Amino acid sequence: MSNNRAYLESVLHHDIPLTRDMGLKVLDWREQQLSLYLPLDRNVNHKSTMFGGSLYCGAVLAGWGWLHLRLKEEGITDGHIVIQEGQISYPLPVTGDAVAICPAPEAKAWKKFLAMYQRYGRARLTLDTRIVNQGSEEDAVTFTGQYVLHR
């Protein structure tokens, strides 16, 4: 478990330097669900809540990180992950530290994604992430992203 967490955190901090400034940490990778931590003090806005742009980044990165770890588990290392499109909603303010969560998509969608990639060298996957105030279960942010993997 912890080696995947440390691995992903080092990849994010190296490949996407902004994640260092955001104070982003990989909290957990368990049962194909990824959780990332975002501290308020590094991502605060003028109203003392979390900046919407940081929340958008956290939501995108939860999906990106999820896909990165699942591909690693499948032994697929030749692809590049990009976000193609994203829809975000901010139903609640984030008033403290936040947790971004990306669960696994449906197994059928994952199998189709892998088959498309193996056949064409390019595939698209939709991932849903959410962000909660740490210690809460209520969605403060909901995000749906279309990620593309290409060789």
Side-chain angles (χ1 to χ4, degrees):
M1 264 345 139
S2 63
N3 61 346
N4 268 332
R5 284 179 18 217
Y7 163 76
L8 181 59
E9 200 168 295
S10 73
V11 167
L12 286 168
H13 288 180
H14 180 269
D15 292 359
I16 306 170
L18 174 67
T19 59
R20 291 194 304 261
D21 294 332
M22 291 174 72
L24 183 138
K25 296 209 176 324
V26 178
L27 275 183
D28 202 16
W29 171 249
R30 187 183 321 171
E31 292 170 12
Q32 294 183 6
Q33 178 169 287
L34 178 64
S35 301
L36 303 178
Y37 167 81
L38 292 167
L40 178 63
D41 64 352
R42 303 289 286 276
N43 298 284
V44 72
N45 66 17
H46 62 290
K47 297 211 182 244
S48 301
T49 60
M50 198 166 288
F51 174 54
S54 292
L55 292 166
Y56 187 88
C57 286
V60 168
L61 289 163
W64 190 95
W66 185 92
L67 190 48
H68 192 90
L69 286 177
R70 279 297 286 124
L71 290 167
K72 181 176 176 257
E73 288 180 350
E74 295 281 346
I76 296 171
T77 57
D78 63 348
H80 303 280
I81 304 164
V82 293
I83 178 114
Q84 184 180 51
E85 193 178 325
Q87 297 85 36
I88 195 159
S89 175
Y90 303 90
L92 291 173
V94 175
T95 54
D97 296 343
V99 180
I101 301 156
C102 184
E106 287 184 21
K108 185 174 71 176
W110 178 247
K111 285 194 179 90
K112 182 181 171 196
F113 170 80
L114 289 177
M116 292 291 283
Y117 183 68
Q118 277 144 6
R119 181 174 301 160
Y120 300 109
R122 183 180 173 89
R124 180 183 295 119
L125 184 68
T126 299
L127 293 172
D128 295 311
T129 65
R130 61 197 195 96
I131 298 181
V132 297
N133 282 281
Q134 194 171 33
S136 171
E137 286 300 308
E138 271 191 292
D139 291 352
V141 173
T142 57
F143 176 80
T144 299
Q146 282 80 45
Y147 294 83
V148 173
L149 180 68
H150 64 88
R151 282 201 185 98

